[in-house]
Amino acid sequence: MARSLDGLVLSPVADQAPGQVGTRTRFTYHEADGRIWAEYAGGDVVRGHLVGTRDGDALDFRYVQLKHDGTTSSGHCLSTVVELADGRVRLEERWVWESQEGSGTSVVEQLPS
């Protein structure tokens, strides 16, 4: 199992569709006893939160976010935690919106120290 996510800051490696999470978004993760949560902001997102569980290297969480235009959205994500050769963490994600149409994949990586 890859190391704990607690206290790590991650960011997407590529921009998603306009108005969504992008390379300027920063996720600060927390982890304890199989539970994960994070706060995120940046780019078009004013504030976002995610909560869920971790089982080995599998994450299962829901997310909700507020954008600068005042709209909110929510969804579900399944991620796999991967430890990179340089010791940083990568999350390979499959997500689906629950408040609107759409689904996809994304990758977020721990920012270098």
Side-chain angles (χ1 to χ4, degrees):
M1 183 170 97
R3 67 189 171 105
S4 173
L5 301 177
D6 195 51
L8 300 184
V9 178
L10 290 86
S11 181
V13 299
D15 286 323
Q16 298 296 315
Q20 304 302 335
V21 166
T23 55
R24 294 179 297 153
T25 308
R26 300 294 181 262
F27 293 79
T28 302
Y29 275 83
H30 310 280
E31 180 176 350
D33 302 321
R35 298 179 188 108
I36 57 158
W37 63 100
E39 305 84 33
Y40 62 97
D44 290 325
V45 178
V46 174
R47 182 177 306 269
H49 297 278
L50 66 85
V51 295
T53 58
R54 179 175 183 172
D55 183 8
D57 288 332
L59 306 181
D60 184 344
F61 61 84
R62 294 283 190 304
Y63 56 89
V64 62
Q65 64 189 32
L66 170 66
K67 296 188 329 184
H68 284 285
D69 66 5
T71 60
T72 61
S73 50
S74 61
H76 179 231
C77 185
L78 299 173
S79 298
T80 302
V81 182
V82 177
E83 191 156 352
L84 300 172
D86 64 5
R88 293 180 304 123
V89 170
R90 166 186 282 171
L91 301 181
E92 297 174 349
E93 305 178 320
R94 296 182 324 266
W95 49 266
V96 60
W97 289 111
E98 295 178 329
S99 62
Q100 61 193 30
E101 293 294 318
S103 63
T105 62
S106 55
V107 173
V108 296
E109 290 184 354
Q110 180 182 354
L111 295 175
S113 298

